[in-house]
Amino acid sequence: MWIEAWRHLAHWTSVDGWIIATGAVAAMACALPGCFLVVRKQSMMGDALSHAALPGIVLAFLLVHGLRGAGWLSLESVAAWRHASLLAGAIAVGIVCAVGSELLQKVGRVESSAALGVVFTSLFALGLLLVRLVADKVDIDPDCVLYGALENVILYEVTPWGIPRAFLTNGLMLGLNGAVFALFFKELRVSAFDPTLAMSLGIHAPALHYLLMAITAVTLVTAFESVGSILVIAMLIVPAATAYLLTDRLSRMMWVGLLIAALSSLLGHALATVATPMVFSRLGYPEVRDASTSGMIAVAAGLLFTSAMVLGPRYGLLSRFVARWLLAHRVAREDVLGLLYRAAERAERRAPLSLALIREGLARGTTSIWLAMRDLRWRRWIERATDGWLLTADGHDAARQLVRSHRLWESFLARNYPARTLLHESAERVEHFIDEALRAELADELGSPTIDPHGAVIPPDSPGDLGTRRDEPRSVLSDP
Amino acid sequence: MAGVCRVKRLREWAAARGADGNDRFAARRRSGSSHMALAGVLFCVVSFWGQAWRVLTLGDHNTRVVLLGTVTLGVSGGVVGVFMLLRKQALLGDVVSHSALPGVAMAFMVMEAFVPGSGKSLPALLAGAALGGIAGMLCTRAIGRWTRIKDDAAMAIVLSVFFGIGISLFTVIQRLPAGNSAGLSHFIYGKAASMKVDDVRVIGAAALAALVICGLLMKEFAVVAFDERFSAVQGWPVVWLDVGLMTLVVVICVIGLQSVGLLLVVSLLIIPAASARFWTDRLVAMLAISGLIGGFSALAGVTISAVYPRVATGATIVLCGSAVFGLSLLLGRRHGFVPRMLAQSGARHRARRYGARDERNGDRDGTRGGGRDVD
């Protein structure tokens, strides 16, 4: 299987290289505004802008065509003017969409997602209508606008230097986006997380909002040629969302987003040209040689997102599951220690506790107790005695700290919340999370008590302590 | 001069109306007369064309079929859309419709694999679309619930990735010997004109079922939409009701794929409901008005595109809906812009007349309301 994959890969030519490069550059240019859209909870605005850009494109084409017909534009300059007018049309429609939905929300009091939905579906319907109506005057293929034709663009539109025009335009877009976001990063960050604070600092948050919308619209239209309008949403949101799962800082999120965008372009082309023929030849369709690269870029971005969702080091489902399980295991371990300590306290001489009694004392499943016991044995904190288990010296130390935490906490609650009755239950939970520093602080605050509210002895900090302290036992409850 | 008098009279009329704003009978009387006026104007405009008249009298068989299918779709979309609007999840229909695409493609491939030549059978494709939509919905909920990704980003992710899968599969189908995906791309743009009687039967049955379920479960959907926690506490099965509503949305999106196409089907859910909101505050009235608006925009859209053959049907339906939305935004009785402005100016007028201090008027009559505090 790997040999077959390698064979497919070896067929890659410079065209494939340019396809991947252009896709990567387009995806990276889209990922930058996408990070801010995700953070500002305006991802569906990206969806709306990409739908709404269609009438802008059609109107721009019509304008250029009309100007040419009226003789204002020569044939050669039409191509250049077309691109400029496309961008202008995109910005105009982007602003209309953003302003329109906001007006509907504020003045019309329409619910926010419904306002967005009304505006962009109407604009998109208008665009579809225009495309069909003026199809003879203007050569827009609605399919192409919708899902792009990356391969065609690379092959047929090459500048004299051998570089595809799409790569240049997307590269320029990436440069422009990088410059704008580097310049306005601090202002955009503040206004994204706290617009009111931004306004009080003198940063005009609404202007920045419209700047972001305009940049998104321009980026979308530039990337349309490569991947079409609907898949541009994938490149806008998915790498940014993947980065959101992997890091907490906005600047790092943007870098990670760029990386993932480039990676999804590479992976997408590999899926389209290598995985697709392999899969479909096995299914019995050998004539399927490849699939659409732009579609596969979206799929690759989705795969990367899913792997980040499951395997992400901090927020991944797997890592959260493992962290929770490890915590449960630690709590089980400490519960066993506490049980053995208290049994040793009650008994006068060494009295081993049998497994059955341990199981009875803890409200836990058999497996977790068994695992806890094995862990304790491995650490040499417990040892097997004749008919049960005993704490070793190290185990006794660890258990002592735990029980000290427990009883100090009970004293703390009893001192500060006298009406509270469930001291033990609270301490059962909190004892696992009190570390040495907190123990010292509690002891200081409470005046180093030696008896807890239930009358049991609070274990000293280190074993020799009990003899060197003052003689009368002190409890929180007896304080005036 | 006459204009100024008219404005003044309008203000006084609004002031008088505003005084008894709580009189329900007055409200019904007022809304009844303006509804009829609106309907009259629209009817005159539409019946201007002889061909349009022929279409409306169901003279042409083809158009009759298309009309029946799309109007049923419009009405049921309007009704289901009200609940989605109330839950503030209006754009979920977009997710469902975009996720339906890979379902359609996979259904086609599976059918072709088992029974060559049967790939384009409508029930199979619609079943695939439904499965795809449900899968998209479930993925959105899963991402929103299990990760720190917020709901809107989850919707955008699922929408675009599933659509990407669908487009890739479409291009694969194009390369298959059996598949020319010409028939399948109608699902993206809609081709209402090619609706057949069998399709209309499927659409009509599904839409009717959706309407019946909405009617039976209206109170339950309403209580879950307005206050989920309260309904959970009261013992309603919130999760199942949620699932039921989502299933209705999937059904509407799937049957709408053929007529308006997947890119525009979300507008059938949003626009009539949002328009109806301007006319009333009561749920039953909102459902009725929304269904009416949906049906009407479908009617108008099909009529216009029958008169002008180059005009795309789906887009026209949506634009008619938007036109009604615009009118409702301006003229809606309850929350429309113009009645609100009139009520506000009426309130100001009343306040000035009854002597409240107003910087612009100053205090002409020194005995009323006391003198000014500062000069």
Side-chain angles (χ1 to χ4, degrees):
Chain A
M1 184 181 85
W2 295 112
I3 303 179
E4 195 186 340
W6 182 248
R7 215 166 14 99
H8 279 290
L9 269 178
H11 275 136
W12 278 8
T13 64
S14 68
V15 174
D16 292 286
W18 282 118
I19 291 179
I20 295 179
T22 312
V25 161
M28 286 198 283
C30 288
L32 285 175
C35 284
F36 281 98
L37 286 179
V38 168
V39 158
R40 295 170 70 115
K41 302 201 241 279
Q42 286 174 337
S43 317
M44 287 311 266
M45 182 66 88
D47 179 30
L49 285 176
S50 80
H51 282 83
L54 185 63
I57 293 179
V58 177
L59 286 172
F61 266 74
L62 270 180
L63 182 70
V64 167
H65 183 89
L67 286 177
R68 185 156 73 88
W72 285 21
L73 282 183
S74 67
L75 207 57
E76 300 82 30
S77 60
V78 160
W81 276 104
R82 182 181 297 162
H83 209 77
S85 61
L86 271 184
L87 294 183
I91 297 183
V93 170
I95 300 287
V96 162
C97 193
V99 169
S101 85
E102 245 164 80
L103 272 180
L104 277 182
Q105 278 176 259
K106 292 208 177 85
V107 176
R109 298 201 203 145
V110 183
E111 194 256 317
S112 63
S113 60
L116 199 62
V118 169
V119 170
F120 85 75
T121 48
S122 315
L123 286 173
F124 189 71
L126 181 66
L128 274 184
L129 200 70
L130 287 175
V131 161
R132 291 281 169 81
L133 277 180
V134 304
D136 52 352
K137 291 199 201 103
V138 172
D139 57 344
I140 302 182
D141 178 16
D143 282 348
C144 188
V145 171
L146 217 46
Y147 36 84
L150 192 56
E151 302 85 351
N152 291 346
V153 167
I154 300 292
L155 280 175
Y156 295 123
E157 295 196 33
V158 182
T159 58
W161 308 299
I163 306 178
R165 192 175 63 82
F167 180 81
L168 280 179
T169 44
N170 282 309
L172 274 172
M173 201 63 239
L174 176 62
L176 181 68
N177 277 356
V180 168
F181 283 106
L183 204 59
F184 291 108
F185 181 70
K186 288 200 277 290
E187 289 82 358
L188 279 168
R189 183 174 56 184
V190 171
S191 68
F193 288 112
D194 197 344
T196 326
L197 176 64
M199 291 294 276
S200 72
L201 288 173
I203 299 169
H204 201 266
L208 282 176
H209 170 68
Y210 288 122
L211 173 70
L212 185 63
M213 292 300 126
I215 293 224
T216 312
V218 171
T219 316
L220 286 180
V221 165
T222 315
F224 272 4
E225 303 171 289
S226 323
V227 288
S229 60
I230 304 297
L231 293 166
V232 139
I233 310 169
M235 298 205 300
L236 202 60
I237 302 290
V238 183
T242 314
Y244 188 68
L245 285 179
L246 294 175
T247 173
D248 278 332
R249 301 173 64 105
L250 187 58
S251 47
R252 223 172 277 166
M253 179 176 158
M254 295 179 80
W255 287 111
V256 173
L258 287 176
L259 181 67
I260 295 193
L263 214 63
S264 51
S265 171
L266 175 64
L267 191 61
H269 193 64
L271 279 177
T273 49
V274 173
T276 312
M278 280 171 57
V279 165
F280 280 93
S281 61
R282 272 166 183 67
L283 285 177
Y285 298 110
E287 54 277 324
V288 176
R289 295 213 172 285
D290 57 1
S292 139
T293 299
S294 28
M296 280 304 183
I297 291 182
V299 174
L303 284 174
L304 287 173
F305 174 79
T306 316
S307 29
M309 187 168 101
V310 175
L311 301 171
R314 196 178 298 187
Y315 297 107
L317 293 173
L318 203 62
S319 21
R320 282 192 345 225
F321 179 77
V322 166
R324 264 205 302 269
W325 190 88
L326 284 176
L327 178 64
H329 178 69
R330 177 169 75 89
V331 169
R333 203 172 63 215
E334 291 177 351
D335 279 346
V336 172
L337 279 181
L339 198 69
L340 286 172
Y341 186 90
R342 288 180 175 88
E345 251 187 340
R346 279 195 296 271
E348 253 114 53
R349 40 179 207 292
R350 276 162 63 90
L353 211 58
S354 73
L355 191 61
L357 282 174
I358 292 179
R359 280 210 201 113
E360 207 182 304
L362 295 173
R364 277 186 180 280
T366 322
T367 325
S368 75
I369 295 182
W370 182 79
L371 282 168
M373 303 287 289
R374 285 207 69 109
D375 190 353
L376 288 170
R377 213 168 148 194
W378 178 75
R379 285 170 199 256
R380 308 256 159 84
W381 283 359
I382 59 176
E383 61 192 359
R384 197 103 177 70
T386 32
D387 46 329
W389 297 90
L390 273 181
L391 286 172
T392 59
D394 290 333
H396 195 85
D397 265 337
R400 184 165 40 79
Q401 303 294 351
L402 185 78
V403 178
R404 181 174 165 79
S405 304
H406 180 108
R407 292 177 179 163
L408 276 175
W409 185 252
E410 284 182 340
S411 307
F412 178 78
L413 286 181
R415 159 81 63 86
N416 291 304
Y417 302 96
R420 198 187 169 106
T421 50
L422 298 174
L423 299 175
H424 180 72
E425 280 74 13
S426 173
E428 274 281 286
R429 286 198 203 104
V430 179
E431 65 184 352
H432 305 286
F433 302 104
I434 297 181
D435 61 350
E436 202 169 321
L438 191 55
R439 273 198 293 275
E441 235 180 282
L442 283 172
D444 267 338
E445 163 133 1
L446 299 168
S448 305
T450 50
I451 305 283
D452 81 351
H454 296 136
V457 172
I458 298 185
D461 201 11
S462 47
D465 255 358
L466 203 50
T468 59
R469 293 256 179 217
R470 287 185 241 154
D471 289 334
E472 326 80 68
R474 275 188 313 284
S475 164
V476 187
L477 293 178
S478 59
D479 285 340
Chain B
M1 184 59 192
V4 169
C5 288
R6 228 179 294 142
V7 166
K8 186 155 165 269
R9 259 205 294 275
L10 201 60
R11 283 232 186 95
E12 290 183 10
W13 171 84
R17 286 288 188 273
D20 52 287
N22 286 328
D23 181 352
R24 288 172 59 139
F25 291 110
R28 281 213 194 106
R29 249 185 287 125
R30 290 199 300 270
S31 70
S33 57
S34 59
H35 270 295
M36 272 174 51
L38 193 61
V41 165
L42 285 171
F43 190 75
C44 289
V45 166
V46 164
S47 67
F48 175 74
W49 301 304
Q51 279 173 304
W53 182 243
R54 195 172 84 92
V55 165
L56 282 176
T57 50
L58 309 177
D60 181 20
H61 174 264
N62 250 356
T63 329
R64 206 187 315 165
V65 164
V66 172
L67 257 182
L68 198 60
T70 43
V71 168
T72 339
L73 176 67
V75 171
S76 52
V79 170
V80 174
V82 167
F83 293 113
M84 295 307 290
L85 183 69
L86 292 175
R87 303 209 59 169
K88 303 192 177 15
Q89 286 170 349
L91 289 172
L92 219 47
D94 211 13
V95 175
V96 169
S97 62
H98 281 80
S99 325
L101 194 66
V104 167
M106 273 194 240
F108 178 85
M109 291 202 301
V110 162
M111 293 296 289
E112 279 294 327
F114 285 117
V115 184
S118 73
K120 297 237 181 76
S121 84
L122 194 63
L125 292 178
L126 290 188
L131 284 175
I134 293 176
M137 188 81 77
L138 290 176
C139 285
T140 316
R141 294 281 169 172
I143 294 178
R145 187 172 296 202
W146 291 340
T147 67
R148 67 200 289 237
I149 302 280
K150 309 289 188 297
D151 283 334
D152 61 315
M155 289 203 290
I157 293 170
V158 167
L159 195 156
S160 49
V161 171
F162 274 62
F163 196 79
I165 300 176
I167 293 296
S168 313
L169 287 177
F170 261 37
T171 51
V172 164
I173 289 176
Q174 263 168 356
R175 287 154 172 76
L176 289 179
N180 70 329
S181 57
L184 294 184
S185 63
H186 288 327
F187 282 107
I188 300 186
Y189 295 106
K191 197 128 198 268
S194 66
M195 242 191 255
K196 295 189 276 297
V197 181
D198 298 323
D199 305 341
V200 169
R201 285 212 190 98
V202 170
I203 291 178
L208 201 61
L211 279 175
V212 164
I213 295 180
C214 271
L216 288 176
L217 291 176
M218 185 172 66
K219 290 201 208 74
E220 286 78 1
F221 282 155
V223 77
V224 167
F226 286 122
D227 197 337
E228 208 171 306
R229 305 259 158 92
F230 169 76
S231 40
V233 158
Q234 286 279 305
W236 293 108
V238 171
V239 174
W240 285 112
L241 286 171
D242 210 13
V243 164
L245 192 56
M246 295 306 134
T247 316
L248 286 180
V249 171
V250 169
V251 163
I252 300 286
C253 288
V254 162
I255 61 181
L257 281 185
Q258 257 224 315
S259 39
V260 289
L262 73 88
L263 294 172
L264 290 173
V265 87
V266 68
S267 56
L268 289 178
L269 288 167
I270 299 183
I271 296 184
S275 315
R277 188 72 187 87
F278 292 110
W279 292 99
T280 175
D281 281 334
R282 291 167 23 232
L283 180 64
V284 179
M286 193 166 159
L287 289 170
I289 296 178
S290 175
L292 257 160
I293 293 180
F296 171 75
S297 43
L299 181 72
V302 170
T303 312
I304 295 178
S305 77
V307 171
Y308 298 106
R310 280 251 308 249
V311 163
T313 316
T316 326
I317 295 178
V318 173
L319 287 173
C320 291
S322 316
V324 176
F325 176 82
L327 282 173
S328 311
L329 176 70
L330 286 175
L331 302 173
R333 214 65 192 88
R334 268 271 162 238
H335 300 287
F337 191 68
V338 168
R340 262 197 296 144
M341 288 296 117
L342 286 179
Q344 274 183 11
S345 89
R348 269 203 295 275
H349 182 84
R350 263 180 301 138
R352 247 177 259 139
R353 217 167 64 180
Y354 293 116
R357 289 221 328 250
D358 178 350
E359 294 87 42
R360 259 180 288 157
N361 276 346
D363 206 0
R364 281 188 227 115
D365 184 352
T367 57
R368 240 205 251 231
R372 289 187 209 168
D373 292 325
V374 276
D375 271 329

